[in-house]
Amino acid sequence: MSSRPLRHSSQRGMVLILIAFIVGLGAAAFMYRMFNASSLQVEQDEETMRVLSEAKSALIAWAVSHPNHPGQMPYPDRNEDGNYDGYSDCFATNQSFNYKFLLGRLPVHGLDPNCNHHGITVTAALGEDFRDATGEPLWYAVSRNLVHDYYGTGSNPIINPGIANIATDWIEVVDRNGNVISNRVAAVIIAPGTSVDVQDRSSAAPEASEYLDRIVRSSDGVPFKNYGYPPNQLDDNQFIIGEDMRRVGANDAVFQKPYYFNDKLVFITADELLTALEARAANELKNALLNYYEPASGDRPNGRGVGYFPYAASLGSSKDYACVTSSVAGVLPISSVASADFTCNYSRGGGVTSASCSTGFTNISSIVMRKNNNFTSFSGACSYSGRDCTCAGAGSCSRGGQTFSCNALGSCSANFNGTVTFKGGEFTSANSRCSLSCTDVACSGAGAGGATRTSCVDPVFNTGGSQLPTWIMTNKWYDYFYYASSRNGIKLTSGSKVNIDSLLIGTGRSIIAPNSAVSKGASQLRPSCAVNDYLDSIENTNANQIFDGQRITRTPNYNDHTYIVAP
């Protein structure tokens, strides 16, 4: 029998095995290359996000640590001067404001030395040339609420928690579907990645659209651009965290094709910035209180050694922010001049009402008279609203033959019976027909009554070594801290920490609908005489000198934060 057919079959089997081996080897090589490419992509994305996170931290630190205007942010590095040199381009000659001034590259070298910075330190810089994993410099957009107004009033923004409730000019960041992630964004930082589609970066200073990308929704054709601030209302001040084109398949129905997008974005919310600023402001206020209390030493050269913490000023202070004797909770007594002693008197009888203050209108804001029906005319420093006539000097309000009039010395009378309120006096006591109401005194009924403001005898807090920085005063940070001390002999408690002598509570922005603080159950309104318009929990508002702990998480319904002053 011949063996040739067997050998031929064996040879064919070997060939098939060899072909299978070669195919398998090719497939393995392909999979290896694909794995390496995917792994490299992941590594690049991780590197880019790390750089973005570091740039975000650096930008917050730059704004918060600014010596003159904490919270203020630089203008971007724009191409309007013909280059991207790493410096903030913070002015445009003979131009009115345009939102395009707020978008450019991240100014890593600081502020343009050729600008008039209005007291802003020119040498301040982020400290590093931040670039994404492809080597491209980062881009940056900033809210108009946080930059110097070169184009209008020429002023610096007032930056405190109150600005967080401003409804306009914050940046909006949306997700891949156009859903709003945050509409109160202070700044965005964008890694542009490699060029996509027809982007051309070969010129000396290409436009933003050559770096930043766009997404168009399939459902309605709505575009979302990261190179925006266009002149239409569609996506002014709007940026998108989109899906990388390498991860969008042909069957993804959300986006129109062809799809070109590889931007990576991080953002800083107004609350993130303000929380960091609050910590700096709290440290300044804490040091001022300790300077007041402690004697001068090597650690505290500005110490005044008073030996106690000052009495507080009243909430809702509308007149002088001066300390009120025996008051251990309220706002800081930042007034540099204590109020004088004065008395206001009230009398009603025989169809006549009179009111007067010993220092005239010097220590009160106004005297208000309420009658049974509406006033119809006024003169001088008086005005009326319905039944109320408000006088801040010489003048009168009338209806027919009934008149309420005051002279410049603060002596007022009416030829009818009514209710009198002395407003803005921060009174310390009242008697008979008069009662205290925050900084005011209300008097009514037949007979006589009065109210007195007795000056607090504490050495003035905001002077000498306790002097507060200019930016604290200019930006009114003292209105965003609640102050308490144990000067009445009752130690304070904050969470599990006991025997506290003094603390501050950062009140944050007022919480408004649709959110509400548990303490209020409605929108908080400031300025106010009510503590629940400032503090957000029952524990912080029940006047028992026990407060929430320091690490309570801030939420849309709670933004108090406690800072222990001593010990």
Side-chain angles (χ1 to χ4, degrees):
M1 180 181 293
S2 172
S3 62
R4 285 186 178 181
L6 181 61
R7 289 197 299 270
H8 183 68
S9 177
S10 176
Q11 288 172 350
R12 282 189 300 174
M14 292 298 293
V15 170
L16 290 174
I17 292 172
L18 180 61
I19 292 172
F21 175 76
I22 293 172
V23 171
L25 187 63
F30 176 77
M31 292 299 293
Y32 179 75
R33 287 195 299 270
M34 290 296 292
F35 176 79
N36 277 353
S38 177
S39 178
L40 177 61
Q41 177 185 328
V42 170
E43 289 178 3
Q44 287 182 333
D45 289 349
E46 289 177 348
E47 172 65 12
T48 292
M49 294 310 297
R50 181 189 65 79
V51 171
L52 284 170
S53 178
E54 290 178 355
K56 172 180 174 176
S57 297
L59 185 59
I60 293 174
W62 188 94
V64 171
S65 63
H66 200 286
N68 307 109
H69 306 286
Q72 188 166 313
M73 288 193 167
Y75 279 88
D77 173 18
R78 305 189 308 276
N79 65 351
E80 198 165 283
D81 57 352
N83 61 55
Y84 294 114
D85 57 6
Y87 286 98
S88 166
D89 295 318
C90 45
F91 73 97
T93 305
N94 299 322
Q95 287 182 296
S96 59
F97 177 80
N98 191 306
Y99 281 96
K100 70 179 182 180
F101 299 156
L102 303 177
L103 174 67
R105 284 186 178 174
L106 189 66
V108 295
H109 298 322
L111 305 179
D112 188 339
N114 296 316
C115 289
N116 178 358
H117 295 287
H118 301 269
I120 303 173
T121 305
V122 173
T123 55
L126 300 186
E128 185 176 340
D129 185 9
F130 294 101
R131 295 174 180 264
D132 66 22
T134 70
E136 288 287 357
L138 303 183
W139 283 69
Y140 157 70
V142 61
S143 165
R144 189 181 183 183
N145 294 324
L146 299 171
V147 293
H148 182 89
D149 185 7
Y150 290 93
Y151 312 95
T153 62
S155 61
N156 293 302
I158 299 299
I159 300 176
N160 60 44
I163 69 169
N165 285 331
I166 293 175
T168 60
D169 280 325
W170 294 112
I171 293 171
E172 181 177 85
V173 173
V174 299
D175 67 13
R176 72 193 296 266
N177 297 310
N179 300 313
V180 175
I181 299 174
S182 177
N183 59 5
R184 291 190 303 113
V185 172
V188 299
I189 305 173
I190 308 171
T194 56
S195 58
V196 298
D197 192 21
V198 295
Q199 288 178 335
D200 182 2
R201 304 175 182 178
S202 61
S203 64
E207 294 293 331
S209 59
E210 305 297 344
Y211 293 90
L212 308 181
D213 309 329
R214 65 180 253 153
I215 287 174
V216 181
R217 288 196 306 213
S218 295
S219 59
D220 52 16
V222 172
F224 299 93
K225 312 182 189 73
N226 280 343
Y227 53 85
Y229 296 123
N232 60 71
Q233 296 302 308
L234 181 63
D235 53 356
D236 279 359
N237 255 15
Q238 186 185 74
F239 293 82
I240 185 166
I241 297 178
E243 196 77 23
D244 192 295
M245 57 193 293
R246 294 168 294 183
R247 297 189 180 91
V248 174
N251 296 325
D252 192 321
V254 175
F255 311 117
Q256 283 188 8
K257 308 298 187 307
Y259 176 82
Y260 300 106
F261 191 95
N262 64 359
D263 294 348
K264 303 289 186 296
L265 182 149
V266 296
F267 59 91
I268 302 167
T269 65
D271 289 324
E272 283 181 290
L273 177 65
L274 290 166
T275 297
L277 278 172
E278 181 189 275
R280 181 178 176 190
N283 189 60
E284 296 284 1
L285 296 174
K286 174 181 175 178
N287 282 333
L289 286 167
L290 292 174
N291 280 338
Y292 185 88
Y293 183 95
E294 297 177 3
S297 66
D299 294 333
R300 194 162 296 283
N302 294 321
R304 296 167 63 188
V306 173
Y308 50 80
F309 291 104
Y311 283 127
S314 301
L315 283 176
S317 294
S318 59
K319 190 65 177 175
D320 58 14
Y321 288 89
C323 64
V324 176
T325 301
S326 299
S327 178
V328 294
V331 295
L332 284 164
I334 53 89
S335 174
S336 59
V337 179
S339 291
D341 293 344
F342 67 94
T343 299
C344 294
N345 294 308
Y346 160 86
S347 178
R348 172 178 157 185
V352 175
T353 300
S354 64
S356 62
C357 290
S358 60
T359 56
F361 291 96
T362 301
N363 294 102
I364 62 170
S365 60
S366 62
I367 298 176
V368 179
M369 179 67 175
R370 169 166 286 195
K371 64 194 304 290
N372 292 329
N373 45 26
N374 293 344
F375 289 98
T376 57
S377 63
F378 68 95
S379 66
C382 298
S383 61
Y384 73 88
S385 176
R387 297 187 298 149
D388 293 336
C389 175
T390 300
C391 296
S396 65
C397 298
S398 299
R399 177 188 173 93
Q402 294 184 324
T403 300
F404 173 68
S405 61
C406 297
N407 62 29
L409 299 178
S411 181
C412 308
S413 63
N415 58 359
F416 56 88
N417 288 330
T419 299
V420 170
T421 301
F422 301 98
K423 298 188 73 66
E426 301 199 38
F427 297 90
T428 55
S429 64
N431 60 68
S432 300
R433 294 296 178 180
C434 299
S435 61
L436 299 176
S437 175
C438 192
T439 61
D440 307 335
V441 163
C443 305
S444 62
T452 299
R453 167 62 189 261
T454 302
S455 295
C456 183
V457 297
D458 283 354
V460 176
F461 166 64
N462 187 28
T463 189
S466 299
Q467 189 69 46
L468 295 171
T470 300
W471 66 269
I472 290 281
M473 303 301 292
T474 300
N475 291 282
K476 299 181 179 180
W477 272 97
Y478 49 80
D479 273 337
Y480 295 90
F481 284 91
Y482 185 81
Y483 160 65
S485 79
S486 63
R487 192 166 166 188
N488 61 356
I490 303 173
K491 295 287 188 176
L492 310 178
T493 296
S494 173
S496 61
K497 188 172 178 61
V498 298
N499 294 321
I500 298 168
D501 290 321
S502 177
L503 60 77
L504 294 163
I505 300 178
T507 63
R509 64 186 178 93
S510 55
I511 297 176
I512 58 177
N515 302 304
S516 65
V518 173
S519 62
K520 182 74 184 283
S523 292
Q524 293 176 330
L525 303 175
R526 303 177 190 172
S528 170
C529 297
V531 67
N532 63 358
D533 277 315
Y534 297 86
L535 304 181
D536 307 328
S537 69
I538 300 300
E539 185 65 272
N540 279 352
T541 57
N542 60 10
N544 63 358
Q545 294 189 263
I546 300 174
F547 301 93
D548 293 333
Q550 292 178 272
R551 291 182 173 82
I552 298 295
T553 302
R554 297 187 187 213
T555 70
N557 301 312
Y558 184 99
N559 60 14
D560 295 348
H561 189 82
T562 303
Y563 302 88
I564 305 299
V565 176

